[in-house]
Amino acid sequence: MKFLMTSLVGIGFVTLAGAAQAGEVSVARGEQVAITAGCNDCHTAGYPESGGKLDPAAALKGTALGWQGPWGTTYPANLRLLAKEKGSEDAFLEYAKTFQAKPPMPFFNVHAMDDSDIRSLYQYIVSLGDVGEAVPDYVPPGQEPKTPYIVIAPPIMPKG
């Protein structure tokens, strides 16, 4: 299955009633960060299609829906597995502040996050329980993925 997308537009933000305060480190704050920072948009199967209804069993387990562009085909990581592999809040924070990723993952936005938000995100991810399975491996340019994927094409400029 192949989809064509020429641009990514519109990230919605949600205000949660009784939400945790900025600077607080907590599971509740981590859940709020995952929603408002858009983590679920890609890393939670079915989240965008549900209109933002979060299935805790699927939350942040990554998906097998690839994103293909000039860089190859990438997959939204299983953040539960990543948090388990890092093994501690401090190690997760260090990773979040330094990792690099291929498009469309905006790693630079994660680097800019407040430490307390990253720590809260880690606590939330760990609280979700079962880590699930790894997502498919990166597929280099020119190779056909074995899973469904969305093509992100460069913009086409008008003639003249």
Side-chain angles (χ1 to χ4, degrees):
M1 186 179 297
K2 188 179 200 179
F3 302 94
L4 179 64
M5 180 181 291
T6 57
S7 66
L8 297 174
V9 180
I11 295 177
F13 290 92
V14 177
T15 302
L16 301 176
Q21 297 296 313
E24 172 187 327
V25 176
S26 68
V27 170
R29 177 71 182 158
E31 180 180 20
Q32 182 181 26
V33 168
I35 292 168
T36 60
C39 303
N40 289 300
D41 296 358
C42 294
H43 296 275
T44 300
Y47 183 75
E49 297 86 347
S50 74
K53 292 185 178 95
L54 187 59
D55 174 4
L60 305 178
K61 283 186 175 178
T63 72
L65 176 63
W67 295 87
Q68 187 179 75
W71 60 86
T73 305
T74 53
Y75 295 88
N78 178 337
L79 299 182
R80 294 186 194 195
L81 192 56
L82 177 67
K84 181 180 180 186
E85 288 169 355
K86 295 305 161 200
S88 74
E89 195 174 293
D90 288 338
F92 186 82
L93 174 64
E94 177 63 26
Y95 174 80
K97 289 293 191 176
T98 61
F99 81 105
Q100 301 287 306
K102 291 179 174 45
M105 176 61 205
F107 63 88
F108 39 85
N109 291 345
V110 178
H111 293 178
M113 290 174 74
D114 185 78
D115 287 7
S116 65
D117 287 345
I118 295 170
R119 289 182 180 282
S120 293
L121 185 60
Y122 175 82
Q123 288 183 12
Y124 171 62
I125 293 168
V126 170
S127 80
L128 292 169
D130 176 47
V131 297
E133 302 297 320
V135 299
D137 290 331
Y138 163 74
V139 179
Q143 294 184 21
E144 189 70 18
K146 294 179 175 41
T147 65
Y149 58 96
I150 295 171
V151 175
I152 302 175
I156 298 172
M157 299 304 291
K159 295 183 180 4

